Amino acid sequence: MAPADVIVLGLGGMGSAAAHHLAARGVRVLGLERFGPAHARGSSHGGSRIIRQSYSEDPAYVPLVTRAYELWGDLEAETGADLLTLTGGIYLGRPDSPTVAGALAAATEWDLPHEYLDAGAIRSRFPTLNPGPDTVGVYEQRAGFVRPEASVAAQLSVAARLGADLHFEEPVLSWSANAGGVEVTTARGAYRADHLVVAPGAWATRVLGLPFLVERQVQYWFAPAGGTAPYVDHPVYLWEDPSGSSIYGFPSMDGPDGGVKVAFFRRGGAGTDPDALDREVRPEEIAAMAARAGRDLPTLPGTFLRGAACMYTTTPDGNFVVGTRDRVTIACGFSGHGFKFVPVVGEILADLAIDGTTRHPIALFDPGRLPGSNQFPMGSPS
């Protein structure tokens, strides 16, 4: 094969975006992925991910998600793929809950169009929702969802068309970096390049030795009582109850047989081994989701259709880890809220790999804030 300028380790959401943006700048890219393209073994599957601007986690994310919207549009135009759908979004809870107060703070700081709704206004406008008297909501029109599998496939397609050499079913055994370059070893051979981008998803703890919690998360699909019609023109939502437990959900996306999707946010319990993820969805898990959904959305749960397990790779503070040192750039720890940022993270990773810096605000994601970050970069098994 021709020599590479940059090797990208991991071709899921972030890695596929990095390969795309690097190849678009004329960089010779080698991509290595332990599974197949757009696989369902990690965190980039399940048919939908929420995208939103009034960012409750921290207002510092707003400029990045704003740029992500632009890049999602560019990717759709380039590929013809249906990736981003705007539905509106509502973020519910008590006025002082992190979900509501955080969304309101971000919308206020960045002057984002939004509405503040009391319980009566929520019920009147969205009859599928059943808020208690103390519940309020922040509504924004420019929220919606992106389709993860289609997005990864689209980015891989563009990267390959632009000349990236993408290898699948080729796990990395080790890698190393020094002043002369980087070397990556797989079962098929050793590859050398000037720079390495590591986007390992749930395998970040193994590849980089950083202190992340890999959480098992379950997504559920139900057929609502009375049918999906009330959920067709429906916002995405995040809903935090007084105990701090949160759920999130989507409109009906794929016709009556597709039902509607709902899930708990960060209810993964103890950490899991990404190579031994329990993919069975158990009756007691379905019952817990049905009880919560039935309390908040009157026509749910209806009939359970299916469930799917995925993984969150969560950092101690819930913020991402993106940075570069010497000849290695890393992107990991997206903590269950990263997929909406995929194209802008790809742009950032290309900036860092080529120039060593980026115009985007990423100080919040500095790997140096984490225990054990002094080990980065280092050679490691995958």
Side-chain angles (χ1 to χ4, degrees):
M1 60 165 283
D5 299 315
V6 178
I7 297 173
V8 178
L9 194 167
L11 294 173
M14 304 306 174
S16 65
H20 166 203
H21 283 274
L22 285 162
R25 301 187 198 185
V27 173
R28 296 174 299 178
V29 178
L30 168 63
L32 298 171
E33 168 58 52
R34 62 187 293 139
F35 302 116
H39 62 82
R41 301 289 297 275
S43 303
S44 298
H45 63 279
S48 58
R49 294 291 186 273
I50 288 175
I51 186 166
R52 52 196 166 92
Q53 290 183 306
S54 299
Y55 219 71
S56 57
E57 286 81 354
D58 194 307
Y61 284 91
V62 173
L64 295 174
V65 78
T66 300
R67 176 59 175 158
Y69 274 81
E70 297 172 352
L71 292 171
W72 283 119
D74 291 347
L75 185 59
E76 286 187 317
E78 187 169 5
T79 63
D82 178 13
L83 305 178
L84 168 63
T85 301
L86 297 181
T87 63
I90 187 165
Y91 320 122
L92 303 114
R94 289 183 171 175
D96 60 350
S97 66
T99 296
V100 170
L104 189 61
T108 301
E109 179 171 333
W110 291 99
D111 196 25
L112 301 173
H114 66 282
E115 298 174 69
Y116 190 78
L117 305 177
D118 64 17
I122 294 166
R123 284 193 295 271
S124 174
R125 191 150 161 192
F126 306 110
T128 54
L129 307 180
N130 184 36
D134 296 332
T135 298
V136 298
V138 177
Y139 176 80
E140 64 171 339
Q141 285 189 322
R142 282 188 53 78
F145 62 85
V146 292
R147 294 184 178 268
E149 294 94 337
S151 300
V152 173
Q155 303 223 112
L156 293 173
S157 173
V158 174
R161 180 170 54 78
L162 294 173
D165 186 12
L166 307 179
H167 294 201
F168 299 98
E169 308 292 345
E170 187 170 353
V172 170
L173 303 178
S174 64
W175 60 269
S176 61
N178 55 47
V182 299
E183 181 171 307
V184 177
T185 302
T186 75
R188 299 183 196 172
Y191 307 100
R192 293 174 178 82
D194 295 327
H195 200 92
L196 176 65
V197 173
V198 185
W203 287 264
T205 53
R206 190 173 304 165
V207 174
L208 295 165
L210 294 173
F212 303 153
L213 175 66
V214 179
E215 301 175 274
R216 174 181 176 270
Q217 298 290 323
V218 179
Q219 306 163 79
Y220 304 84
W221 287 260
F222 293 94
T228 57
Y231 291 88
V232 172
D233 184 15
H234 195 279
V236 297
Y237 56 90
L238 306 176
W239 198 327
E240 182 179 346
D241 74 8
S243 75
S245 171
S246 295
I247 63 171
Y248 62 94
F250 297 83
S252 174
M253 295 170 44
D254 300 310
D257 293 340
V260 296
K261 177 181 167 183
V262 63
F264 287 105
F265 181 62
R266 289 189 183 152
R267 187 173 167 141
T272 189
D273 178 349
D275 285 321
L277 176 66
D278 180 4
R279 296 184 181 276
E280 180 183 354
V281 181
R282 291 175 168 75
E284 59 270 23
E285 294 178 309
I286 299 168
M289 186 75 259
R292 175 63 185 275
R295 185 187 75 189
D296 293 339
L297 297 97
T299 62
L300 290 181
T303 303
F304 174 71
L305 297 176
R306 62 188 177 94
C310 69
M311 291 177 281
Y312 290 175
T313 307
T314 303
T315 64
D317 60 9
N319 293 316
F320 308 159
V321 175
V322 179
T324 195
R325 186 181 298 168
D326 301 329
R327 294 179 178 270
V328 181
T329 297
I330 65 172
C332 50
F334 288 94
S335 303
H337 63 111
F339 198 88
K340 62 184 72 64
F341 296 93
V342 155
V344 71
V345 170
E347 187 171 67
I348 289 166
L349 295 177
D351 290 344
L352 295 177
I354 295 169
D355 302 321
T357 188
T358 180
R359 65 183 174 85
H360 292 294
I362 62 169
L364 189 65
F365 311 147
D366 185 357
R369 75 186 194 275
L370 300 174
S373 62
N374 60 324
Q375 301 177 52
F376 159 66
M378 63 180 184
S380 176
S382 68

